[in-house]
Amino acid sequence: MVQTNPKSLAANIFTAFGTTRERSLGSSWALQLVIQWVNTALIAAAIVIASEILARGTLVDIAEYMTSFSRPGLVATGVVFLLLVFADAVIGKAYQSALFIGPLTLLPAFFSGQKQLFLSDPLFPSDLLFGRQIMQLLPAMVAAEPAKAIGLAIGSVLFIAAFVTLIWKSRKIFPRLNLAGRGIRLALSFPLLAGFVTLMDPMAFSAFRDRLNIVPMMWDQKENYRHNGFLLAFAFNVPMASVSAPAGYSHVAITDMQTDLLPASFFSGRQADVIMVMSESLWDPTRMTSIRYSADPMPVIRGAQSGNVFSPEFGGMTANVEFEALTGFSNAFLPYGSIPYQQYIRRPVPSLATFFESKGYVTKAFHPFQSWFWNRNNVYQSLGFRQFHSEENMPAMDKRGIFASDDALTRYIIKEADNTDQPFFFFAVTLQGHGPYERNRYAKNTIEVDAPTLSDGSTSALSTYTQGVKEADQSLKALMDWAKKRRRETIIVLFGDHLPPLNEVYTESGYMANVVATRKASVTTMKREHETPLVVWSSKRGVQKDIGSVSPSQLPYYVVRMAGYRHPYYTGMLGRVAERYAVIDRHQLIGRNNKAQADWALSGRIDPLIRDYRLLQHDVMFGEGYGLDRFFPEQAERLQPNS
């Protein structure tokens, strides 16, 4: 009879279910498994806590997030734990997955925290689509803060070297898992992870998700990230590229919409040339009343100012403002954090370019940077521009720092106009005003800034920015002086895309409470932090006054109307909206009486006019195009096979 040694039996069992290194300790396989999973849970908790610290930039609220049963911090930890367990099973070594999952979670959290230092929003999955843009702007960032850039570069090199070394050394450090141990981990983690994925559709109701206190708040992304934490909120935004139809969207809903009965003069117009200039970060720095300037940096703009554009963005995201200004559609009807130029414009979309081309105009877009930036090369084709003049096909231009000067771009536009016999619609995006605002961008700052409350660095940045505003103002004067001498009427529309990223200038001057603008506040505060100058001017009829503060999506209404045309959408639908509302923002509607309707989309009592506006936008961008014939006849004709 064979004698069985109890210790040998335990060792055999441990060999079957445990790890080859840890079984030498003589402990049971179950105990070792528990120890490994406890350690993995601690690693998961450390990853979640570190990601929250990096994303928030503060320790405030993190303890409550991780311990309160009304917040999903423990759920996030459990998800990361399952990911670690699953990855360990795939790799075949305990704990080694932390070396991969850790950086994959912590780096986006770090970038989210850095993004919020300059812009108003956390990191969205769609931001990863324009990483190339960030790389292209690195020279300007380095010039603005060279010491920080050098430190970051050295830190990055050290991190990569340490990471590679750690991966290499970990082959002998971390315990190896045998097939049975890997199987147990897969059997536990895979079904639970698969089940959790089904909960992450923010548009679908889930009672179980509610019990876990995971609440997708797509309408308020700051609260979404605060309540759910960076990792869960980021995951909620992954499906953002898929836009579902608004409630009530149907063929009947579109065909029942009111359309203006256009007179016989519908096709008339003055054949005036139109030049729209979206000036990068153009803003009135004299709004900061605690600061004194030796001269007005924008006398021409001030004298010709028609009102203000209420920008939906702050400090960046130029393409979203451009999208509204060219199409008359609103970001307020799209998922928060989305970028239409990157995600949604994948088919022909009507715009001012297609409208003016239908009237016999030559349509050209200008931007003295690379054409792939913000996907403009593809987007401009979808919007109907016949030509796009970018850095690749424009002559070398004078620079301010690394950016093409407004003066050089203006002279190029004038040259193109002089060589165009037909009426034209030109749309230009300047570059000179782009931040950051390094000290030596200009040979001399000709406007002195008296700012006793500002630090030296902030004073320097504001001086650089103010000089750029002055040169933008001079460029507008040159364009207007040229237009006054022309026989054909020329309409010039100039506006800023958003406030500049001046960072501590705002807080040190007392202009804003934070270095970035708020997304939800009173009308007074929102206008203070989102308004940029707007000029609508005709060489024959002068300035169009008293436009007030309007969303960029309202600009096509004023442009088409001033050019002497009527249109079912641009003067019809947008005209009706403009009569009632000045600002269409995702958080509030601001009426012509300056009263706001906050959280209108959640109220359940949406104005039928706004409802129709939203339905028609969805129909054209994502839907079946039921309204093209009636609201965009030129686009319907353009899409016909033989057109």
Side-chain angles (χ1 to χ4, degrees), residues 313-363:
E313 301 295 346
F314 174 87
M317 307 301 283
T318 297
N320 283 355
V321 183
E322 184 178 334
F323 161 76
E324 290 200 8
L326 283 173
T327 64
F329 296 148
S330 177
N331 289 289
F333 305 143
L334 299 173
Y336 193 169
S338 59
I339 307 168
Y341 271 26
Q342 296 282 11
Q343 297 164 304
Y344 304 137
I345 300 183
R346 295 292 184 267
R347 65 183 187 182
V349 173
S351 73
L352 286 176
T354 55
F355 167 76
F356 279 108
E357 185 185 51
S358 72
K359 305 304 178 191
Y361 280 57
V362 173
T363 59

Side-chain angles (χ1 to χ4, degrees), residues 282-287 296-310 469 473 476 480 492-496 527 530-538 542-550 562:
L282 177 66
W283 177 64
D284 181 2
T286 67
R287 282 192 165 202
D296 185 353
M298 44 177 279
V300 177
I301 294 173
R302 198 178 310 283
Q305 193 164 345
S306 304
N308 295 285
V309 162
F310 184 98
V469 172
D473 191 73
L476 176 63
M480 294 170 69
I492 296 174
V493 179
L494 175 129
F495 62 98
K527 286 187 173 184
H530 287 273
E531 282 185 341
T532 66
L534 169 64
V535 172
V536 180
W537 177 88
S538 164
V543 179
Q544 182 172 347
K545 289 287 189 179
D546 303 322
I547 288 179
S549 182
V550 298
M562 195 168 195

Side-chain angles (χ1 to χ4, degrees), residues 12 26 43 62 124 135 210 236 299 316 321 329 412 431 434 440-441 487 489 500 515 626:
N12 290 335
I43 294 172
I62 293 178
F124 300 116
M135 296 300 295
D210 285 351
F236 273 133
V321 183
F329 296 148
Y412 183 80
L431 193 59
H434 207 293
N440 298 316
R441 179 177 295 191
R487 177 176 300 177
E489 178 184 5
V515 296
Y626 300 130

Side-chain angles (χ1 to χ4, degrees), residues 152-165:
L152 186 60
I154 294 174
S156 299
V157 171
L158 292 176
F159 173 80
I160 293 173
F163 180 74
V164 172
T165 301

Side-chain angles (χ1 to χ4, degrees), residues 11 61 125 215 249 329 518:
D61 196 46
V215 185
Y249 173 67
F329 296 148
T518 185

